[in-house]
């Protein structure tokens, strides 16, 4: 922008236009006639849906939904009852979606979503009565469709009661069906938005019923495409090609994106393309499925189960509106699921005795601070992947401060409180919980880097090494909390001494694993992740020493500098214990071990994954606290890790058996799992 000269034509978003410059000019020229044929009306409905899907994907209202000239002045469409009802309901729906996203505040302006209306009529008087208008026209079209499907006497009676939609009797049934399914889809979508807006999940059951209706009508809309693209009876057509933003493939009339150009910010306008018809249907289908998963969330879940649900839900890559609705459901009026303040929910997680909460002021202050940080975390987990990682990096220090506060709380309570063992046990549990959650945040921060493709191949080994250290720390505090033992918090000096005793990461004395208990599936999942990390650590080390893995040398920074750049944020935390570059080199430069032994070591860890996966499947089957979404995602995760383990073992066998004269090159691709790659072996 700074390179552009003031008064440069490119700076004016409203001048270089090819369409009409004002809405009045467009109307006077007849660009948006009210008297439309039924095929033209269906095209208008379809293009509005395509514009709405494009808007929800991050483009401006002025260039998408309100490029429709009919929506700029809905009152003008009153003579056409079908068009008027559809436009009013569309405007009301867009207003509710925009309000929900703005209230959730989990979007990046100009990236995820543009909430600015630029003075457009997003809200209109009488929009609350749009459902009555839609019901009226729906009944008219439904009666006409029943008449078309009936016998001769029924058809005559229908013609007396209602005027046909168009002149050709042979096409009447097809057009009635096309109009009706679009009206019903619009109506179901409005109902979904209304019911999901009710507090404390009171409308989720009804919303779910309307989601099923909307999905059914979406299939009817899809099936009507063949008829509309040929303009004749469906039994005489073949499947049509995907083209344009309407089912018929024709260009819809009554749209001009240049009309609102002067309302946009004084910057060069974005060049956008409206989603194709197939992409529009796919978008709404996925949106409805994502909303259905939200509606299936049991309202009796505790905080830990909700955190697991949100993490698993994010793996489905839901769109912004679905994430906004989830965030509004979880934190309605700042309360968890609109019921209890987060501080009370945390007390239930901590299982703090009432006597301690009533008398120990440090514990009360800690719980209040933990509620604030947990609320932040829940909100961050509903953002997009890139923003989520950036925000997680920013709140790491908050979790570190919370951990220090828990230690201060314990010391003060032991010295000044008269409650004895109850206070000591409470503070130990608080420390274990904060340590576990901090490890979880760090783990998520590191793993999201793989999904965002932030790491180069030369950094994989150090990232998996640090990730393994985080996983072992998380496992340590998870087991300490489950077995209700006092967690040992290691200082950096003690970790340095322990780090030489165990390969790959700092050694932590693990509490005894309970044979049964709540969340045991998460313990086995951490063990699977840890073995995968160890497998990659030794595999990458062996391939590098064997010169089968080519690293691109960087001239701008050294490996030590890259290590510092990647993990500098984590070095400010007490837990997981900060690990230096020298810890990493000392753990991975096992020169006394041969390359073949390193290959075997990697193979053994990948084999260990298989055993832990079996244990994970067995414990997950007994985990009654898992939601349907979490259970589905866990099953998918097991399959993905199984494939990663299997394929990398095969690659190791090939490399291990190669002769001295064979030149092989190994590369990695994330084809099975977003965070753990598969080795691809090729002859050079």
């Amino acid at each position: 922008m700074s390179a552009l000269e003031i008064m440069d034509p490119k700076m004016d978003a409203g001048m270089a236009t090819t369409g009409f410059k004002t809405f009045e000019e467009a109307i006077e020229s007849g660009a948006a006639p009210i008297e439309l044929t039924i095929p033209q009306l269906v095209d208008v409905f379809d293009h509005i849906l395509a514009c709405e899907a494009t808007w929800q994907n991050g483009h401006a209202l002025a260039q998408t939904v309100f490029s429709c000239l009919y929506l700029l002045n809905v009152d003008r469409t009153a003579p056409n009852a079908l068009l008027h009802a559809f436009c009013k309901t569309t405007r009301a729906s867009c207003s509710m979606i925009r309000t929900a996203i703005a209230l959730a505040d989990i979007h990046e302006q100009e990236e995820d979503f543009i909430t600015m209306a630029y003075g457009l009529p997003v809200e209109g008087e009488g929009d609350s009565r749009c459902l009555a208008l839609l019901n009226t026209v729906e009944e008219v079209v439904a009666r006409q469709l029943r008449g078309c499907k009936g016998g001769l006497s029924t058809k005559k009676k229908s013609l007396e009661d209602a005027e046909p939609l168009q002149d050709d009797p042979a096409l009447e049934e097809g057009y009635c069906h096309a109009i009706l399914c679009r009206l019903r889809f619009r109506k179901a979508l409005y109902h979904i938005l209304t019911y999901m807006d009710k507090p404390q999940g009171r409308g989720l059951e009804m919303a779910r019923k309307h989601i099923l209706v909307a999905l059914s009508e979406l299939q009817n809309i899809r099936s009507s495409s063949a008829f509309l693209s040929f303009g004749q009876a469906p039994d005489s057509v073949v499947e049509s090609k995907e083209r344009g933003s309407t089912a018929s493939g024709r260009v819809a009339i009554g749209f001009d994106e240049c009309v609102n150009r002067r309302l946009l910010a004084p910057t060069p306008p974005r060049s956008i393309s409206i989603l194709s018809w197939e992409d529009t249907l796919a978008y709404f289908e996925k949106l409805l499925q994502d909303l259905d998963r939200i509606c299936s969330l049991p309202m009796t879940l505790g905080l830990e189960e909700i955190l697991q649900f949100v993490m698993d839900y994010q793996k489905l890559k839901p769109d912004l509106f679905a994430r906004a609705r989830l965030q509004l459901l979880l934190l309605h009026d700042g309360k968890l699921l609109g019921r209890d303040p987060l501080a009370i929910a945390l007390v239930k997680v901590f299982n703090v005795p009432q006597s301690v909460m009533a008398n120990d002021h440090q514990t009360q202050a800690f719980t209040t601070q933990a509620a604030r940080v947990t609320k932040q975390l829940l909100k961050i987990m509903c953002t997009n992947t890139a923003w989520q990682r950036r925000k997680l990096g920013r709140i790491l220090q908050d979790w570190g401060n919370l951990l220090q506060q828990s230690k201060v709380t314990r010391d003060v309570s032991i010295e000044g409180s008269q409650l004895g063992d109850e206070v000591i046990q409470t503070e130990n549990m608080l420390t274990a919980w904060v340590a576990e959650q901090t490890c979880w945040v760090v783990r998520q921060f590191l793993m999201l880097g793989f999904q965002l493709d932030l790491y180069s191949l030369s950094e994989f080994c150090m990232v998996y090494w640090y990730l393994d250290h985080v996983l072992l720390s998380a496992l340590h505090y998870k087991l300490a909390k489950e077995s209700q033992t006092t967690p040992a918090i290691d200082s950096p000096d003690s970790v340095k001494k322990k780090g030489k005793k165990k390969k790959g990461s700092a050694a932590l004395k693990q509490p005894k694993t309970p044979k049964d208990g709540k969340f045991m599936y998460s313990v086995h999942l951490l063990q699977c992740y840890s073995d995968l990390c160890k497998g990659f650590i030794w595999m990458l080390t062996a391939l590098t020493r064997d010169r089968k893995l080519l690293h691109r040398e960087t001239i701008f920074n050294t490996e030590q500098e890259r290590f510092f750049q990647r993990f500098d944020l984590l070095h400010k935390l007490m837990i997981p214990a900060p690990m230096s570059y020298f810890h990493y080199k000392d753990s991975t430069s096992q020169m006394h071990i041969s390359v073949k032994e390193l290959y075997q070591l990697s193979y053994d860890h990948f084999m260990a994954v298989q055993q832990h996966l079996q244990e994970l499947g067995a414990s997950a089957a007994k985990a009654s606290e898992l939601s349907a979404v979490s259970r589905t995602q866990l099953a998918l995760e097991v399959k993905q890790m199984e494939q990663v383990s299997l394929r990398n073992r095969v690659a190791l066998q090939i490399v291990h058996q190669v002769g001295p004269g064979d030149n092989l090159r190994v590369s990695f691709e994330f084809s099975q799992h977003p965070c753990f790659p598969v080795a691809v072996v090729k002859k050079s």
Side-chain angles (χ1 to χ4, degrees):
M1 292 295 296
S2 59
L4 293 177
E5 190 179 12
I6 295 176
M7 298 303 294
D8 190 299
K10 291 191 291 295
M11 291 294 293
D12 194 331
M15 295 304 294
T17 60
T18 55
F20 301 105
K21 293 184 179 180
T22 64
F23 171 73
E24 291 75 16
E25 181 183 334
I27 298 303
E28 289 175 3
S29 65
I34 301 301
E35 295 295 329
L36 296 172
T37 64
I38 292 302
Q40 290 174 335
L41 189 62
V42 173
D43 290 341
V44 170
F45 289 176
D46 290 350
H47 195 72
I48 287 177
L49 287 174
C51 287
E52 190 175 349
T54 308
W55 167 57
Q56 293 183 32
N57 274 278
H59 294 288
L61 269 172
Q63 291 180 284
T64 53
V65 177
F66 282 91
S67 65
C68 178
L69 301 175
Y70 298 110
L71 284 170
L72 290 173
N73 187 355
V74 176
D75 294 338
R76 179 176 163 271
T77 63
N80 189 329
L82 289 171
L83 180 62
H84 187 63
F86 195 90
C87 287
K88 259 191 172 299
T89 312
T90 298
R91 186 170 65 179
S93 299
C94 288
S95 177
M96 286 191 285
I97 290 171
R98 177 172 165 267
T99 301
I101 293 175
L103 286 174
D105 191 25
I106 57 169
H107 65 285
E108 289 184 285
Q109 191 72 16
E110 301 289 338
E111 292 295 334
D112 282 333
F113 191 79
I114 301 175
T115 54
M116 295 179 64
Y118 300 108
L120 294 168
V122 181
E123 298 178 1
E125 294 183 6
D127 281 358
S128 58
R129 299 190 298 273
C130 64
L131 206 56
L133 295 172
L134 203 61
N135 286 332
T136 302
V137 295
E138 178 195 354
E139 179 58 34
V140 171
V141 179
R143 187 166 61 247
Q144 184 68 16
L145 181 61
R146 289 194 298 269
C148 295
K149 289 181 177 180
L152 184 61
S153 60
T154 310
K155 286 185 178 181
K156 288 181 179 179
K157 185 177 180 181
S158 175
L159 290 173
E160 294 174 0
D161 294 343
E163 184 179 350
L165 298 180
Q166 45 85 53
D167 297 332
D168 192 344
L171 303 178
E172 184 72 9
E173 182 178 344
Y175 281 121
C176 284
H177 179 268
I179 289 286
L180 190 60
C181 62
R182 283 158 175 79
L183 293 175
R184 286 175 173 170
F185 175 76
R186 186 82 265 174
K187 176 183 173 182
L189 201 59
Y190 182 84
H191 275 304
I192 293 166
L193 299 174
T194 303
Y195 282 113
M196 290 194 75
D197 206 33
K198 293 184 179 296
Q200 300 181 9
R202 295 193 188 103
L204 293 184
E205 186 177 351
M206 287 300 299
R208 203 169 187 189
K209 292 179 180 179
H210 287 289
I211 287 172
L212 293 176
V213 173
L215 285 170
S216 175
E217 295 303 331
L218 201 61
Q219 291 304 315
N220 292 333
I221 292 174
R222 193 187 299 274
S223 64
S224 69
S225 298
F227 168 79
L228 294 170
S229 60
F230 288 86
Q232 51 188 347
D235 56 357
S236 62
V237 301
V238 295
E239 290 189 9
S240 60
K241 297 179 180 179
E242 173 193 348
R243 50 179 183 174
S245 58
T246 62
S248 65
R250 295 184 294 266
V251 177
I253 63 173
F255 292 84
D256 189 349
E257 67 173 18
C258 296
V259 167
N260 302 317
R261 188 69 59 84
R262 292 175 182 271
L263 297 177
L264 296 174
T267 57
R270 289 183 175 183
S271 177
I272 70 168
S273 56
I274 302 299
L275 291 180
S276 68
W277 180 239
E278 286 300 320
D279 289 341
T280 299
L281 296 180
Y283 171 80
F284 279 110
E285 184 174 11
K286 185 178 185 306
L287 175 63
L288 290 169
Q289 291 170 352
D290 291 338
L291 294 177
D292 184 61
R293 293 184 182 99
I294 295 174
C295 294
S296 68
L297 176 68
M299 299 301 289
T300 56
L301 291 183
L303 178 60
E304 291 184 305
E305 294 98 324
I306 288 174
L307 282 169
Q308 183 65 41
F309 175 88
V310 176
M311 187 176 70
D312 292 329
Y313 186 74
Q314 278 283 31
K315 293 178 182 177
L316 300 169
K317 298 181 179 179
D319 293 298
L320 173 62
F321 177 64
R323 289 187 276 114
R325 282 266 47 120
L326 175 62
Q327 195 264 331
L328 292 174
L329 174 65
L330 296 179
L331 296 174
H332 184 76
D333 288 338
K335 299 178 180 179
L336 190 65
L337 296 175
R339 299 190 314 254
D340 300 324
L342 271 170
I344 295 178
L346 283 172
V347 170
K348 294 178 181 178
V349 173
F350 301 152
N351 197 21
V352 178
Q354 290 294 330
S355 57
V356 175
M357 283 301 300
N359 296 285
D360 189 39
H361 299 296
Q362 278 77 23
T363 302
Q364 295 171 7
F366 172 85
T367 305
T368 302
Q369 183 68 6
R372 184 188 68 81
V373 179
T374 304
K375 180 181 178 181
Q376 243 182 333
L377 179 60
L378 276 171
K379 193 170 181 179
I380 289 171
M381 290 304 297
C382 294
T383 60
N384 65 55
T385 306
W387 207 16
Q388 183 183 143
R389 188 178 189 274
R390 193 158 63 248
K391 293 271 188 180
L392 286 176
R394 291 176 184 173
I395 67 164
L396 279 174
Q397 192 58 49
D398 292 338
W399 285 96
N401 295 337
L402 193 63
L403 182 62
Q404 290 180 346
Q405 186 177 351
S406 73
K407 292 184 68 182
V408 171
T409 303
R410 177 176 59 192
D411 296 339
V412 173
S413 299
I414 291 174
E415 295 174 6
S417 177
Q418 301 299 319
L419 300 176
D421 294 340
E422 279 190 350
V423 173
I424 298 174
Q425 184 180 4
T426 296
E427 302 308 335
N428 288 336
M429 290 182 64
L430 297 183
T431 302
W433 180 83
V434 179
E436 182 193 354
Q437 295 304 316
T438 305
C439 290
W440 185 90
V441 173
V442 175
R443 180 190 110 193
Q444 191 73 2
F445 175 78
L446 291 176
M447 295 183 77
L448 284 175
F450 287 106
Q451 298 182 35
L452 295 169
D453 199 20
L454 298 181
Y455 308 131
S456 65
L457 181 59
S458 61
E459 297 174 311
F460 280 8
C461 189
M462 68 173 70
V463 174
Y464 283 124
W465 179 83
Y466 213 108
L467 180 59
D468 181 47
H469 167 59
V470 174
L471 291 167
L472 288 177
S473 299
L475 188 58
H476 171 78
Y477 293 107
K478 182 74 176 177
L479 293 175
K481 192 182 72 170
E482 291 297 320
S483 57
Q484 295 186 353
T485 59
T486 303
I489 300 180
D490 296 316
S491 66
D493 292 334
S494 65
V495 171
K496 186 184 295 185
K497 294 176 183 178
K498 293 177 182 179
K500 297 181 180 179
K501 297 180 181 179
K502 187 172 182 179
K503 300 173 185 175
S505 64
L508 286 171
K509 185 179 179 181
Q510 301 294 349
K512 186 177 179 181
T513 305
K515 293 182 180 180
D516 198 7
K518 198 176 182 182
F519 300 110
M520 278 311 299
Y521 71 90
S522 61
V523 172
H524 295 307
L525 182 61
L526 289 173
Q527 291 171 333
C528 290
Y529 284 156
S530 179
D531 275 315
L532 280 173
C533 287
K534 289 186 179 70
F536 281 113
I537 291 168
W538 301 121
M539 185 181 191
L540 290 162
T541 302
L543 289 172
T544 302
R545 282 176 53 183
D546 205 15
R547 297 185 178 181
K548 289 183 170 59
L549 191 65
L550 293 179
H551 295 303
R552 299 179 66 180
E553 296 295 332
T554 57
I555 61 175
F556 300 106
N557 53 9
T558 63
E559 185 181 54
Q560 184 175 353
E561 289 172 335
R562 291 198 301 274
F563 187 95
F564 178 79
Q565 290 165 357
R566 289 297 178 199
F567 309 117
D568 179 43
L569 275 175
L570 311 185
H571 291 165
K572 301 173 184 177
L573 300 174
M574 186 185 305
I575 294 176
M579 304 297 287
S580 70
Y581 175 74
F582 301 104
H583 290 139
Y584 163 65
K585 293 304 289 184
D586 184 54
S587 298
T588 56
S589 59
Q590 303 293 331
M591 299 305 296
H592 62 281
I593 303 178
S594 67
V595 172
K596 288 199 173 183
E597 287 176 328
L598 289 175
Y599 283 139
Q600 186 60 47
L601 189 58
S602 175
Y603 187 90
D604 292 342
H605 282 299
F606 284 128
M607 276 297 297
V609 174
Q610 293 295 125
Q611 178 184 351
H612 290 313
L613 285 175
Q614 293 177 0
E615 296 171 349
L616 174 60
S619 59
K622 300 176 183 178
S624 58
E625 69 272 9
L626 278 174
S627 64
V629 171
S630 296
R631 197 174 295 279
T632 302
Q633 284 305 303
L634 188 59
L636 178 61
E637 185 85 4
V638 168
K639 290 181 181 179
Q640 290 176 337
M641 287 192 290
E642 188 175 14
Q643 285 298 312
V644 170
S645 172
L646 175 62
R647 297 188 183 207
N648 282 311
R649 293 204 311 271
V650 172
L652 285 169
Q653 287 178 337
I654 295 173
V655 174
H656 185 71
Q657 296 171 0
V658 69
D662 296 332
N663 292 324
L664 297 180
R665 286 290 178 264
V666 179
S667 59
F668 289 91
E669 57 183 30
F670 293 88
S671 57
Q672 299 298 319
H673 193 282
C675 302
F676 299 106
V678 171
V680 179
V681 183
K682 294 181 180 179
K683 285 188 176 182
S684 59

